[in-house]
Amino acid sequence: MFGLGLRFIKPSASFKTFHRDIFNCSLFSSKSRTLYPTRTFQTQTHIVQQFRLYFKSQRRKYATYSELGYYPGRMGGSGEGPHFNNVKNNVVKPILYTIAFSAVTYFTMPYIFDHTPMEYFKTHKKYYLYGLIGLNVAVFGLWQLRFNGGRIYSFLEKYFLLDRSSLTRKSNVSMILSTFSHQEFFHLFVNMLCLYSFAISMVNIMGVSQFSSLYLISGCASSLASIIFSFVTKSYGCSLGASGAISAIFAAFTAIFPTANVALFIIPIPGGASTALALFTAYNVGGCIFRWSTFDFAAHLGGTIVGYLWGMQYKKKIKAKYRHLRSYW
């Protein structure tokens, strides 16, 4: 339930030019050193300077304006610095992306599970759940191979890691795909255990089409909540994990069955699901305020809100359908 929100600091832009500069200034033979001793001294000095600049950039962990390709005052510039990490890029665009993705998902899921080979899962719901867990395990496996190839790492960093800053975020698709992404085994194990605990009931109640819509839309909404919270508090970083979507599933379960018995692993929670959800929500609100760990509390809250509203709406539909059936009795 309490999925981890991992932080990731990207190397500064000077790292990309460091090796190239060292290589270029080292291209001289023993003959050139004999004929041009002054150039040799200057080259050695340049190498030392490059090392100093590199280690200095690693200490500060951010890129300067010039390293980002911005030169204050040049070409008629105002000299105020880049404005990439603004409200438009870090709030408006993610909101529009979430709305568009939610609309497409909501209206296409019924077609996918009615007119494609995915129809198989409508009558084999347990295998659907195994497949969903399998996707998370597969992405976890790719993360274990990330240091074996630069392409794998670049692919995962671009699409399966939610960068909460628009200055360095490479794709908004990561708002969805990061909900299938885990780097550590304990993180994966806890999230998949919680997913299985509640999803096995919710899939049977809602059906695979409605459940898939809830999982994907709430996952995207939880990423949006994380991005907006980071922008407001200026606490940028990266996060990943299915905990936002799982929070939505748990909240929807609670909205439908508020008195259902639940337990934290093997410890029963008095008051049932409604008490557990209240405690979980209070924990995440406190985490947003006091920052007492690296969990992505904002994502948990975003998923919880979407899931609870979804569950309440679904409960109304069930009651309306039940009243309609009773009218014929």
Side-chain angles (χ1 to χ4, degrees), residues 124-192:
H124 299 81
K125 298 181 177 67
K126 184 174 291 187
Y127 292 112
Y128 166 83
L129 185 56
Y130 292 157
L132 184 60
I133 294 175
L135 286 176
N136 285 270
V137 173
V139 177
F140 169 77
L142 287 177
W143 276 114
Q144 309 317 303
L145 300 174
R146 63 186 182 275
F147 297 120
N148 295 337
R151 291 185 178 181
I152 295 177
Y153 184 81
S154 298
F155 174 75
L156 292 172
E157 183 188 19
K158 182 176 181 179
Y159 296 109
F160 289 89
L161 186 68
L162 177 65
D163 192 334
R164 299 193 294 269
S165 171
S166 64
L167 183 63
T168 49
R169 187 167 57 250
K170 299 178 181 179
S171 174
N172 284 329
V173 177
S174 62
M175 295 175 64
I176 301 105
L177 296 183
S178 63
T179 62
F180 295 90
S181 184
H182 303 80
Q183 288 182 338
E184 298 179 355
F185 177 77
F186 181 75
H187 186 196
L188 174 72
F189 175 77
V190 172
N191 277 351
M192 294 303 100

Side-chain angles (χ1 to χ4, degrees), residues 236-285:
Y236 301 111
C238 296
S239 61
L240 73 173
S243 53
I246 296 171
S247 299
I249 295 170
F250 171 56
F253 175 86
T254 303
I256 299 173
F257 307 106
T259 59
N261 295 325
V262 296
L264 182 61
F265 295 105
I266 60 173
I267 304 174
I269 300 178
S274 57
T275 301
L277 181 63
L279 293 174
F280 180 66
T281 303
Y283 171 77
N284 288 307
V285 171

Side-chain angles (χ1 to χ4, degrees), residues 32-328:
S32 64
R33 288 197 294 271
T34 304
L35 296 177
Y36 306 101
T38 304
R39 179 190 175 109
T40 302
F41 174 76
Q42 293 175 348
T43 305
Q44 291 174 346
T45 303
H46 184 64
I47 294 175
V48 173
Q49 291 176 349
Q50 287 296 320
F51 271 103
R52 288 177 177 174
L53 289 173
Y54 171 68
F55 287 116
K56 183 179 179 180
S57 68
Q58 293 306 297
R59 285 196 300 271
R60 54 185 167 82
K61 292 294 183 183
Y62 57 86
T64 63
Y65 291 168
S66 61
E67 289 169 341
L68 293 170
Y70 178 88
Y71 300 91
R74 183 176 295 185
M75 301 295 292
S78 62
E80 296 178 357
H83 297 283
F84 307 129
N85 214 31
N86 51 26
V87 175
K88 177 182 177 182
N89 292 327
N90 233 0
V91 176
V92 177
K93 288 184 178 180
I95 288 177
L96 294 176
Y97 182 85
T98 301
I99 294 174
F101 174 79
S102 300
V104 171
T105 300
Y106 185 81
F107 291 108
T108 58
M109 280 298 114
Y111 176 84
I112 291 175
F113 286 99
D114 287 338
H115 301 92
T116 69
M118 297 289 286
E119 185 181 3
Y120 171 83
F121 294 113
K122 292 180 66 175
T123 55
H124 299 81
K125 298 181 177 67
K126 184 174 291 187
Y127 292 112
Y128 166 83
L129 185 56
Y130 292 157
L132 184 60
I133 294 175
L135 286 176
N136 285 270
V137 173
V139 177
F140 169 77
L142 287 177
W143 276 114
Q144 309 317 303
L145 300 174
R146 63 186 182 275
F147 297 120
N148 295 337
R151 291 185 178 181
I152 295 177
Y153 184 81
S154 298
F155 174 75
L156 292 172
E157 183 188 19
K158 182 176 181 179
Y159 296 109
F160 289 89
L161 186 68
L162 177 65
D163 192 334
R164 299 193 294 269
S165 171
S166 64
L167 183 63
T168 49
R169 187 167 57 250
K170 299 178 181 179
S171 174
N172 284 329
V173 177
S174 62
M175 295 175 64
I176 301 105
L177 296 183
S178 63
T179 62
F180 295 90
S181 184
H182 303 80
Q183 288 182 338
E184 298 179 355
F185 177 77
F186 181 75
H187 186 196
L188 174 72
F189 175 77
V190 172
N191 277 351
M192 294 303 100
L193 179 63
C194 295
L195 174 62
Y196 184 83
S197 300
F198 295 105
I200 194 169
S201 298
M202 295 300 290
V203 170
N204 288 316
I205 295 169
M206 305 178 72
V208 292
S209 174
Q210 184 101 210
F211 180 87
S212 298
S213 297
L214 172 61
Y215 186 93
L216 294 173
I217 292 174
S218 61
C220 188
S222 66
S223 297
L224 174 65
S226 179
I227 289 173
I228 294 177
F229 179 78
S230 296
F231 177 75
V232 172
T233 59
K234 306 302 180 185
S235 55
Y236 301 111
C238 296
S239 61
L240 73 173
S243 53
I246 296 171
S247 299
I249 295 170
F250 171 56
F253 175 86
T254 303
I256 299 173
F257 307 106
T259 59
N261 295 325
V262 296
L264 182 61
F265 295 105
I266 60 173
I267 304 174
I269 300 178
S274 57
T275 301
L277 181 63
L279 293 174
F280 180 66
T281 303
Y283 171 77
N284 288 307
V285 171
C288 289
I289 297 174
F290 300 107
R291 317 281 183 85
W292 49 44
S293 76
T294 58
F295 293 170
D296 197 342
F297 299 105
H300 294 172
L301 287 175
T304 299
I305 294 172
V306 173
Y308 190 79
L309 294 176
W310 195 298
M312 292 298 293
Q313 186 64 27
Y314 189 80
K315 188 175 183 178
K316 288 182 180 179
K317 291 182 179 180
I318 294 176
K319 289 183 176 180
K321 184 177 181 179
Y322 180 72
R323 286 194 298 267
H324 180 71
L325 292 175
R326 287 190 62 183
S327 65
Y328 290 98

